[in-house]
Amino acid sequence: MEIKKNDVFFTTIEDMSDDGAGIGKTDGYTWFIKDTVIGDVVEAAAMKMKKSYGYGRLIRVVEPSAARVEPACPVARQCGGCQLQAMSYEEQLRFKENKVFHNLTRIGKIENLRRVGDGPEEGRLGAGEESGDRGDQKGRYAEFLPIMGMEDPWRYRNKGQFPFGRDKDGRTVTGFFAGRTHKIIPQEDCLLGVEENREILGMIKGFMDQYHIEAYDEEVHKGLVRHALIRKGFYTGELMVCLVINGRNLPKAGKLVERLTEMEGMTSISYNINMEKTNVIMGKETVHIYGPGFITDQIGDVKYRISPQSFYQVNPAQTKKLYGTALEYAGLTGNEVVWDLYCGIGTISLFLAPKAKKVYGVEIVPQAIEDARENGRLNGFDNVEFFVGKAEEVLPEWYKKNGGQADVIVVDPPRKGCDEKCLETIVKMGPERVVYVSCDSATLARDLRYLCDRGYEVRKVRGCDMFGGTVHVESIVLLSKIHTK
Ligand code: SAH
């Protein structure tokens, strides 16, 4: 039976796409249907169709999957930020584990990957097989360990970025952009964020209303307040607010400070100038109007100073597990020279420093490197050194001047993964171990293939859930150099 646009059909969701849409079939034709969960029987309407697959819109769930839960957030579907909120947390973890496993085997062609630990998933080590020994000459099994899940998958984010605009009655609103649009859903209490967000946003709105300060309207590029960035140090309780404005001055800034400092923990208030027509949230310049210009937080034994523009992991509890795993995989004894590429404010560098001879960090954002250097001093480490620049430029230049000198290289690139020039230099430097921390398992898979074709083998892979409710998953991989006898 042929289905046309707007036709209604029934299907069972058999699989999930990487971006969290359910996958079902009708007569061999594949449908992607958002807001469904693996195991659901659904009624859907055809939206857009290509030759071999199409997109459907969920009309109703006819028979809910055993893994389906009631989304806790009233705007989960509209917002789209939490693609997996209708899925039980356990099922979310399974989804993420499978996503990493499939990307590494399909895109990365990492054929010797074997699951270890509990559970029935495909690819698990069979009876009589042992991890670490493949029983042939080709190499060894790479262990795929169970994902590290969160104890509580709510209110875990230490950072929120809230757009400002106006509703149809001209009132100032803030919340979240509805999925793939720039329409603001007025929701000030995202359940992934801290409870303080709501009160802070209320104060900012009150301030704007009282002093007639307008929200930015991106269609006409007018109005002042574009976004509010709010951060909380989970360990210290310190709060940071930075208003991103389309102007060089924030009128009545003192009045905003008066209001915000009523909140316990308020440590840093600033505004950031962004007068460009752009989707990029922050501009280059930040003006501090209260406090030292940063907040401080702590993960494990390491203290971190964080500026508004610096990258800092959003989920501190899971970050501790992630960095702990990076430290374990780095296998440090105290004699190693370590590189931490894409180091941000030196978070991983400083985690490794007590166990290494020397740690070099490389990061593109100058402000983050300033924080990194300060963080080195704050923690009393004199064996860390940081460079501002692109990893794919700094590392080759260093190599040209100084040669190898790397026992372990850690990389933690943004979603697009490592530049080939960077990987090429890593191979030339020939460290014993490479620890790859990744927030995108597809580009991770591509980069692992590159390294595995040039003398490295994957030894361990482990997912870490930093972003409950969403489709995103962090993974961490240990590669070691192959020594031929
Ligand atoms: N390891 C850090 C930061 C990881 S996020 C942590 O765990 O906190 C990735 C970082 O890479 C960001 O700080 C970003 O600014 C930086 N970055 C992006 N492209 C880069 C490049 N080409 N070279 C070096 N750093 C880069």
Side-chain angles (χ1 to χ4, degrees):
M1 190 192 73
E2 196 161 319
I3 294 177
K4 299 183 300 302
K5 192 168 172 184
N6 295 326
D7 278 0
V8 172
F9 61 91
F10 291 86
T11 186
T12 302
I13 303 301
E14 289 165 357
D15 203 354
M16 302 294 295
S17 71
D18 273 6
D19 57 4
I23 302 177
K25 290 204 160 124
T26 51
D27 295 326
Y29 184 82
T30 302
W31 293 100
F32 292 94
I33 308 167
K34 269 194 356 190
D35 307 306
T36 61
V37 171
I38 193 162
D40 280 344
V41 178
V42 299
E43 182 181 359
M47 280 167 33
K48 199 162 119 193
M49 281 165 293
K50 306 257 167 111
K51 210 163 161 221
S52 55
Y53 64 92
Y55 297 93
R57 183 175 51 82
L58 173 68
I59 297 176
R60 79 190 161 97
V61 179
V62 181
E63 263 177 56
S65 155
R68 175 172 276 279
V69 295
E70 187 60 36
C73 169
V75 296
R77 200 172 160 185
Q78 263 174 298
C79 164
C82 290
Q83 307 86 348
L84 303 181
Q85 244 199 53
M87 209 183 238
S88 70
Y89 187 60
E90 206 186 334
E91 190 67 24
Q92 288 182 27
L93 291 178
R94 188 169 306 136
F95 163 85
K96 294 184 188 198
E97 223 178 76
N98 287 340
K99 174 168 157 175
V100 176
F101 189 86
H102 287 145
N103 279 336
L104 295 201
T105 48
R106 289 176 193 163
I107 302 174
K109 307 258 179 303
I110 309 296
E111 282 159 4
N112 61 342
L113 208 54
R114 288 296 180 276
R115 298 196 194 235
V116 292
D118 312 323
E121 278 87 2
E122 68 177 287
R124 207 165 279 292
L125 271 177
E129 289 182 324
E130 272 186 42
S131 67
D133 178 13
R134 198 142 69 131
D136 60 21
Q137 297 305 305
K138 280 194 205 140
R140 301 177 270 201
Y141 285 119
E143 290 180 16
F144 187 89
L145 294 126
I147 187 166
M148 296 180 272
M150 296 166 51
E151 265 128 56
D152 177 10
W154 300 105
R155 303 240 179 250
Y156 58 81
R157 282 186 68 98
N158 59 12
K159 170 181 147 179
Q161 295 179 120
F162 303 88
F164 278 77
R166 284 166 177 248
D167 65 11
K168 56 181 190 324
D169 304 320
R171 275 189 300 250
T172 305
V173 288
T174 179
F176 291 88
F177 286 135
R180 293 178 202 277
T181 73
H182 274 195
K183 186 176 156 279
I184 295 172
I185 300 168
Q187 167 61 307
E188 286 157 32
D189 188 28
C190 170
L191 297 176
L192 305 190
V194 297
E195 290 180 24
E196 288 90 336
N197 286 338
R198 180 207 289 252
E199 200 175 339
I200 292 173
L201 292 172
M203 286 174 168
I204 297 172
K205 268 199 329 198
F207 160 76
M208 288 168 67
D209 286 343
Q210 185 173 355
Y211 299 104
H212 308 289
I213 294 170
E214 285 188 20
Y216 178 64
D217 179 343
E218 61 183 352
E219 268 171 38
V220 289
H221 193 53
K222 287 214 172 78
L224 192 66
V225 178
R226 299 173 72 127
H227 272 87
L229 163 84
I230 304 174
R231 254 184 183 145
K232 181 180 180 183
F234 276 23
Y235 187 90
T236 56
E238 293 183 3
L239 288 165
M240 163 189 287
V241 175
C242 179
L243 278 195
V244 184
I245 60 171
N246 172 42
R248 298 208 56 82
N249 276 304
L250 178 65
K252 306 279 181 198
K255 296 288 178 196
L256 178 68
V257 169
E258 257 173 43
R259 283 181 190 233
L260 289 175
T261 47
E262 279 172 20
M263 287 215 50
E264 206 189 313
M266 189 57 63
T267 303
S268 158
I269 306 171
S270 57
Y271 63 87
N272 172 276
I273 299 165
N274 185 356
M275 295 168 69
E276 308 280 315
K277 286 185 181 168
T278 169
N279 283 340
V280 176
I281 294 178
M282 304 278 277
K284 288 207 167 65
E285 201 183 326
T286 301
V287 179
H288 297 290
I289 52 178
Y290 175 80
F294 55 84
I295 57 168
T296 307
D297 198 25
Q298 185 163 336
I299 299 176
D301 296 328
V302 186
K303 288 192 187 71
Y304 298 104
R305 147 183 153 168
I306 309 142
S307 301
Q309 272 151 291
S310 300
F311 176 92
Y312 183 59
Q313 298 284 359
V314 297
N315 182 336
Q318 291 300 99
T319 299
K320 190 173 171 203
K321 298 184 193 168
L322 183 76
Y323 292 171
T325 308
L327 180 62
E328 179 197 325
Y329 286 5
L332 302 179
T333 62
N335 298 318
E336 290 83 4
V337 175
V338 183
W339 284 80
D340 175 20
L341 306 179
Y342 312 87
C343 69
I345 58 172
T347 23
I348 297 179
S349 318
L350 300 180
F351 231 72
L352 304 180
K355 301 261 168 62
K357 186 164 102 191
K358 176 93 195 183
V359 182
Y360 297 104
V362 183
E363 158 66 43
I364 199 169
V365 176
Q367 184 63 50
I369 286 292
E370 248 177 64
D371 284 354
R373 289 183 181 136
E374 187 52 40
N375 287 335
R377 280 190 285 273
L378 194 65
N379 291 285
F381 297 138
D382 53 10
N383 60 339
V384 289
E385 199 175 320
F386 293 101
F387 304 100
V388 183
K390 294 183 177 169
E392 61 271 24
E393 290 172 3
V394 172
L395 198 66
E397 276 161 32
W398 170 275
Y399 176 69
K400 219 161 84 192
K401 265 197 240 137
N402 306 290
Q405 294 190 48
D407 300 295
V408 179
I409 297 185
V410 181
V411 299
D412 183 8
R415 282 189 205 162
K416 67 176 187 205
C418 294
D419 188 278
E420 196 170 311
K421 190 88 201 146
C422 174
L423 295 173
E424 188 190 313
T425 312
I426 291 175
V427 171
K428 281 189 195 151
M429 290 173 82
E432 274 310 309
R433 288 178 293 287
V434 175
V435 179
Y436 197 132
V437 182
S438 161
C439 55
D440 184 326
S441 54
T443 58
L444 167 69
R446 178 200 67 201
D447 292 349
L448 292 182
R449 185 70 260 149
Y450 183 98
L451 294 169
C452 289
D453 287 339
R454 289 164 184 78
Y456 283 85
E457 62 178 350
V458 174
R459 299 298 308 279
K460 285 175 200 270
V461 179
R462 184 151 208 192
C464 182
D465 187 24
M466 311 272 273
F467 316 105
T470 80
V471 293
H472 301 291
V473 54
E474 198 85 8
S475 9
I476 175 157
V477 176
L478 168 64
L479 297 115
S480 64
K481 192 170 165 175
I482 299 173
H483 291 279
T484 40
K485 282 180 219 127

